[in-house]
Amino acid sequence: MKNLLIFFAAGSLGALANSIAVWLFGQLGINAALGVSIAPPLSPEWLYPRIVWGGLWGLLFILPFWSSKLLVKGALLSFFPLHFNCLWFSL
């Protein structure tokens, strides 16, 4: 259980760092300069779902503890977020 909580916290922390970077890039106009129209507000309503989903994706860090090759572990670790994002943003 301790490992699961650590993995959830790691995913949440990564999501928080990513969310702050997206917000900061929006505030500095970097997103607009690159042709991306996202400048989200730094509010709890915007942060909460990203942090929770980041924590859930962080639970995938349990995969490297399986006894398989490193390349297979990396592929499995990246498979789920990649396909979720592809399916989510294609709707």
Side-chain angles (χ1 to χ4, degrees), residues 6-91:
I6 290 172
F7 298 144
F8 185 84
S12 296
L13 185 61
L16 178 63
N18 177 270
S19 297
I20 290 174
V22 169
W23 170 79
L24 185 61
F25 276 35
Q27 295 300 311
L28 296 175
I30 296 172
N31 291 345
L34 295 173
V36 178
S37 61
I38 183 172
L42 193 60
S43 65
E45 295 82 21
W46 185 75
L47 280 174
Y48 179 75
R50 282 149 187 82
I51 292 173
V52 171
W53 275 106
L56 293 175
W57 287 119
L59 293 176
L60 290 175
F61 283 122
I62 198 77
L63 291 176
F65 291 103
W66 289 353
S67 60
S68 62
K69 303 239 182 258
L70 185 62
L71 186 59
V72 173
K73 292 178 200 176
L76 283 175
L77 201 67
S78 65
F79 177 80
F80 295 105
L82 170 73
H83 285 81
F84 177 79
N85 284 329
C86 287
L87 290 173
W88 180 262
F89 291 115
S90 68
L91 296 177

